[in-house]
Amino acid sequence: MPTELDELLTSALQERANLGAPIDPARLMRDAVIDGRRIRTRRRVVAAVLAAAAVSAIAVTGTLAPRPSNSAMPAPGPSRSGFLAADLALLPVAAGRPGAGARPDLVATDPLTVHFSTDSIANNAFIATWTSTAGYESATVQRDDFQVYVAVSRDPEKLPPSDSFVKFFRYALGSPTTVTIGGRPGTAATSVGTTRLPGGSQVSLEGKLWALLWQPVDGLWATVEVQGQPLDRAVRIAESVRFDVAKKCALPFTVGRAPAGTKLRTCTVRLGTQLSGRFEDGQLGFGGGSKTFIFYASDSHGGGVYPRPLKAGPNQVWADPRGGNWTMLLDGVFFDVVGSTPHAFTQQQALDTLATVRMRAHPEDPSTW
Amino acid sequence: MARGAALLRFARVLTADEHRAEDLVQDVLAKVYASWRRISLLEHPDLYVRRMLVNAYTSWWRRAVNRELAVAEPAATSSVEDTASESAERDAIWRLVLQLSPRQRTIIVLRYYEDYDDATIAELMQCRPGTVRTQARRALAKLQHLYPAFESANGER
């Protein structure tokens, strides 16, 4: 039972916590993302240097051949931001599949297909991400001169999705104005309010982001959010998105068998220039009922160090003793596999699925995936 | 997003410094963003993030330069008029909390603000539950000593 002292302490601390300036969590997140990107890039550069050193050492001792490099891949060039920019328009064309312009009804029906192309934007970028999931398909491209988010859906209510700049960073938008995008009517709204830069100075968000919304064709809605460019440039960027081609949401690995009772629901692939190859990370999300089973593939693993590796076919797997989480290393790629709850899937179900994971023949060349 | 606000409130009572709290939270959130794919796979990501904040706070106060920063002085005495006002009483208690060592204050904040049990606090602070209980007992004894109104209160959990 709480004592007088307990209650006094609790109320005093709660009162103190709520004193001070009003909290703007969106600004906290925006600032954190800016700093976080720097941290992540720094870590990756260090990891790449360490990995290169390790590979060199291994090659010298002859115990393990380094992964073949793709000589056709152009080396990334330096950019003003310090990130390395390169052509990331590397997702293969989904042959035989129409773009969203011809078949808007196909949008968000196949997690392995993105029914539009951002190639003309991603050709000089340091990060590019594509997602296809229930309700919408999206792409994010980060470049030196701007960052853009694109999403398409058959349902305007699905736009903007939760991974958009506006939703994720909680931008407040001003009143929309009418614009013409590719000859079609649309709206444009800019971010409003202020944010505090590291160091304390306040800056206006007016014009920092433009959010465009239009129908490229009847039955299809598209939103394009552009950070770092004025409205006229944002419109031109939106007009550069092509809806006459479909691309694969392709990953450097395949999963031969879905976990029991599930089917593929989501695919995300992120290409970048910070690692030795172009693959940064990606995920396949399987779902069935309320259960989900996510394959997360990246250059580093997310769990602790677990004892006694298990076997999943030819692959070694480490299981979290608390259940629901497995890690597998295959050809330099870590797979963190996590069920929606510790007991959503049995260990055997997980191992059966992990045993079917195979790397593609050329995991460092996205155009072959 | 709402968790960022909750984290900042937690940092305010931990650091007793609005600006320091914001800096710490921003640092922690940046690290969270950089490692989110790993953190999100944990069973209790919120707890892990709080642990990051506690660690960041601990690193901060351990640095000699920061130890020299004076915290607000406690009320020398508590007058009858002060205790008549609940707000004044809470303010007085807050100032007494500031007199605790950073480690003790962390335990008190985790126990009375975040309402964590001793086992969770021990996990967050990477120490044994027995250490948490000992430090909490000492902190409460110190508060009782500084503030006579607490003398009759039993601070044990």
Side-chain angles (χ1 to χ4, degrees), chain A residues 38-113:
Chain A
R38 286 195 198 109
I39 292 170
R40 196 160 63 182
T41 302
R42 202 163 54 230
R43 279 186 195 159
R44 285 177 173 173
V45 169
V46 170
V49 169
L50 292 175
V55 167
S56 300
I58 290 168
V60 167
T61 58
T63 54
L64 178 68
R67 294 166 72 185
S69 64
N70 184 347
S71 57
M73 196 75 73
S79 67
R80 289 195 307 274
S81 63
F83 292 101
L84 301 173
D87 183 0
L88 297 181
L90 298 170
L91 286 191
V93 170
R97 294 184 192 165
R103 291 290 305 275
D105 56 308
L106 295 181
V107 167
T109 59
D110 173 10
L112 294 179
T113 304

Side-chain angles (χ1 to χ4, degrees), chain B residues 17-111:
Chain B
D17 181 318
E18 176 81 17
H19 298 296
R20 174 56 55 188
E22 196 157 320
D23 285 350
L24 279 182
V25 169
Q26 193 164 319
D27 284 351
V28 166
L29 286 179
K31 288 172 185 164
V32 167
Y33 176 85
S35 306
W36 178 244
R37 64 186 182 198
R38 297 174 200 183
I39 295 170
S40 64
L41 294 174
L42 298 172
E43 196 175 355
H44 300 294
D46 283 354
L47 211 56
Y48 185 82
V49 172
R50 272 165 176 70
R51 179 166 162 175
M52 290 172 73
L53 188 63
V54 169
N55 286 343
Y57 169 62
T58 304
S59 300
W60 167 63
W61 64 254
R62 277 182 178 155
R63 287 197 291 270
V65 61
N66 290 313
R67 282 207 301 271
E68 291 168 4
L69 287 175
V71 294
E73 285 296 316
T77 56
S78 296
S79 67
V80 173
E81 289 76 18
D82 282 339
T83 53
S85 156
E86 287 184 6
S87 178
E89 188 171 43
R90 286 195 293 270
D91 188 52
I93 292 164
W94 167 248
R95 283 181 285 164
L96 294 179
V97 169
L98 295 180
Q99 292 303 293
L100 300 174
S101 70
R103 189 174 175 80
Q104 288 177 346
R105 193 198 312 170
T106 303
I107 289 171
I108 292 297
V109 168
L110 289 169
R111 187 190 258 199

Side-chain angles (χ1 to χ4, degrees), chain A residues 5-365:
Chain A
L5 177 55
D6 292 339
E7 289 168 357
L8 286 171
L9 276 168
T10 300
S11 60
L13 293 171
Q14 283 175 346
E15 181 182 76
R16 187 58 50 169
N18 288 310
L19 289 177
I23 296 172
D24 178 0
R27 180 183 58 72
L28 272 177
M29 289 300 294
R30 276 195 300 268
D31 294 345
V33 166
I34 292 167
D35 285 351
R37 285 190 180 128
R38 286 195 198 109
I39 292 170
R40 196 160 63 182
T41 302
R42 202 163 54 230
R43 279 186 195 159
R44 285 177 173 173
V45 169
V46 170
V49 169
L50 292 175
V55 167
S56 300
I58 290 168
V60 167
T61 58
T63 54
L64 178 68
R67 294 166 72 185
S69 64
N70 184 347
S71 57
M73 196 75 73
S79 67
R80 289 195 307 274
S81 63
F83 292 101
L84 301 173
D87 183 0
L88 297 181
L90 298 170
L91 286 191
V93 170
R97 294 184 192 165
R103 291 290 305 275
D105 56 308
L106 295 181
V107 167
T109 59
D110 173 10
L112 294 179
T113 304
V114 178
H115 293 86
F116 64 94
S117 167
T118 51
D119 282 2
S120 62
I121 307 167
N123 63 0
N124 183 27
F126 48 85
I127 293 279
T129 308
W130 293 267
T131 291
S132 181
T133 189
Y136 70 94
E137 299 169 5
S138 68
T140 304
V141 179
Q142 297 178 41
R143 301 167 42 122
D144 224 17
D145 45 353
F146 61 84
Q147 300 184 45
V148 62
Y149 174 84
V150 180
V152 297
S153 177
R154 288 170 285 155
D155 179 1
E157 296 296 315
K158 305 276 189 195
L159 302 179
S162 58
D163 59 348
S164 68
F165 296 152
V166 167
K167 280 283 178 69
F168 190 80
F169 298 123
R170 293 274 295 275
Y171 277 106
L173 296 178
S175 300
T177 57
T178 302
V179 292
T180 300
I181 304 167
R184 308 268 297 184
T187 60
T190 186
S191 50
V192 295
T194 61
T195 192
R196 194 192 67 137
L197 294 176
S201 59
Q202 292 275 342
V203 295
S204 169
L205 288 172
E206 184 97 25
K208 299 289 185 192
L209 173 137
W210 284 99
L212 311 177
L213 179 67
W214 83 107
Q215 282 191 278
V217 296
D218 291 346
L220 178 70
W221 291 85
T223 186
V224 168
E225 297 170 3
V226 180
Q227 289 179 322
Q229 292 291 332
L231 176 58
D232 59 337
R233 179 84 170 104
V235 169
R236 287 202 298 278
I237 290 167
E239 288 174 337
S240 73
V241 178
R242 287 178 54 183
F243 299 100
D244 60 349
V245 62
K247 309 281 271 188
K248 289 183 184 175
C249 184
L251 290 155
F253 63 92
T254 60
V255 180
R257 184 195 306 162
T262 70
K263 62 179 185 178
L264 185 64
R265 284 181 173 170
T266 300
C267 171
T268 295
V269 57
R270 188 191 320 271
L271 304 181
T273 59
Q274 313 304 315
L275 302 177
S276 56
R278 290 290 180 267
F279 176 65
E280 291 256 330
D281 55 57
Q283 70 179 50
L284 291 176
F286 296 86
S290 59
K291 296 179 180 178
T292 59
F293 194 80
I294 295 175
F295 276 73
Y296 196 96
S298 69
D299 62 309
S300 56
H301 73 93
V305 178
Y306 308 132
R308 289 185 293 127
L310 308 166
K311 295 294 283 184
N315 309 323
Q316 277 196 322
V317 175
W318 287 263
D320 184 335
R322 294 169 297 184
N325 194 346
W326 297 269
T327 298
M328 180 172 78
L329 176 62
L330 186 60
D331 197 21
V333 174
F334 282 99
F335 293 85
D336 280 311
V337 182
V338 59
S340 46
T341 67
H343 305 294
F345 298 90
T346 66
Q347 180 144 290
Q348 194 55 52
Q349 287 174 319
L351 295 177
D352 288 347
T353 300
L354 284 166
T356 68
V357 176
R358 299 283 183 275
M359 297 306 295
R360 294 188 187 274
H362 302 286
E364 295 202 348
D365 184 359

